[in-house]
Amino acid sequence: MLKRLEQSQEQTVWYSLWDKVWQMDNLNQAILGVILKRGSAGVDGQSTTQFSSDWTQQCEQLGEELRTGRYCPQPARRVWIPKLGSPELRPLGIPAVRDRVVQTALLAVLEPIFERDFAEQSYGFRPGRGCWHALERVESLLPSGHTWVVDADLKAYFDTIPHERLLAQVQGRIADGKVLELL
């Protein structure tokens, strides 16, 4: 898929991605990624350590549930965390470990399709990019006279994202109904 992506046109529509999501190599990589990040347990109380103790069985079960359409995500566990520099608290939804694995597997399939569409100067939540890269870019622009930095934080944006418009954009590139349903 990655080779085809590299050779495809920017507006290629992808019809057959579902089997890549539940493919065992993809799920194993997703499990590894989730376990290495650790993180808290979801509503089911299962930790990444508990999940990884039966890795093979968990992977096979998730793959079978996805393949047969029986996979059903659990609700996210809601916690409130301090907001940096503010007395306010920020809501955070913590998915169950198995749901994070499925999300990571789906990300591995979708990210290469959409990544190349993002602006070069965008650094947030991008693979291989982070705040240090943004700071390096700022440092490289200062000698040429650039002196303004704009930082925007939209209050409660993730709670107000226009989902219909966003999904319509995704559907412009992804035509696989099962992938769209999972998304």
Side-chain angles (χ1 to χ4, degrees):
M1 183 186 102
L2 293 177
K3 183 173 177 121
R4 182 171 164 228
L5 175 62
E6 290 171 4
Q7 297 170 347
S8 69
Q9 300 297 317
E10 279 189 32
Q11 295 304 315
T12 298
V13 177
W14 295 81
Y15 291 91
S16 182
L17 297 172
W18 184 241
D19 61 319
K20 283 92 177 147
V21 174
W22 54 264
Q23 195 253 354
M24 285 299 122
D25 286 344
N26 188 28
L27 284 176
N28 274 308
Q29 286 296 316
I31 290 171
L32 179 62
V34 169
I35 289 169
L36 290 176
K37 284 185 181 177
R38 298 196 175 143
S40 299
V43 294
D44 61 359
Q46 185 181 46
S47 69
T48 54
T49 303
Q50 291 167 324
F51 187 90
S52 67
S53 69
D54 197 13
W55 182 315
T56 303
Q57 196 272 332
Q58 293 281 5
C59 187
E60 289 173 359
Q61 182 179 346
L62 267 177
E64 181 66 14
E65 287 178 24
L66 288 164
R67 188 182 66 75
T68 61
R70 291 184 291 118
Y71 169 76
C72 184
Q74 299 177 49
R77 180 170 64 95
R78 175 69 77 188
V79 296
W80 295 87
I81 60 173
K83 206 171 181 182
L84 190 63
S86 169
E88 295 180 39
L89 295 176
R90 174 170 79 87
L92 184 66
I94 301 175
V97 173
R98 68 189 322 266
D99 295 335
R100 291 200 303 265
V101 168
V102 171
Q103 291 168 3
T104 303
L106 183 60
L107 177 66
V109 173
L110 295 181
E111 187 173 64
I113 294 169
F114 291 99
E115 172 59 26
R116 65 194 225 173
D117 295 339
F118 293 123
E120 181 63 31
Q121 65 275 13
S122 174
Y123 295 93
F125 305 100
R126 307 262 313 271
R129 293 171 180 240
C131 61
W132 291 111
H133 297 98
L135 288 172
E136 287 172 359
R137 177 73 172 142
V138 168
E139 287 289 328
S140 74
L141 291 172
L142 286 173
S144 61
H146 293 86
T147 58
W148 288 84
V149 174
V150 177
D151 179 25
D153 185 12
L154 304 176
K155 184 176 176 99
Y157 183 68
F158 286 106
D159 297 331
T160 60
I161 290 173
H163 288 97
E164 295 79 22
R165 285 182 42 207
L166 181 58
L167 283 174
Q169 292 284 76
V170 171
Q171 288 171 348
R173 300 290 300 280
I174 308 297
D176 187 318
K178 289 184 178 182
V179 168
L180 292 170
E181 184 180 328
L182 180 61
L183 189 60

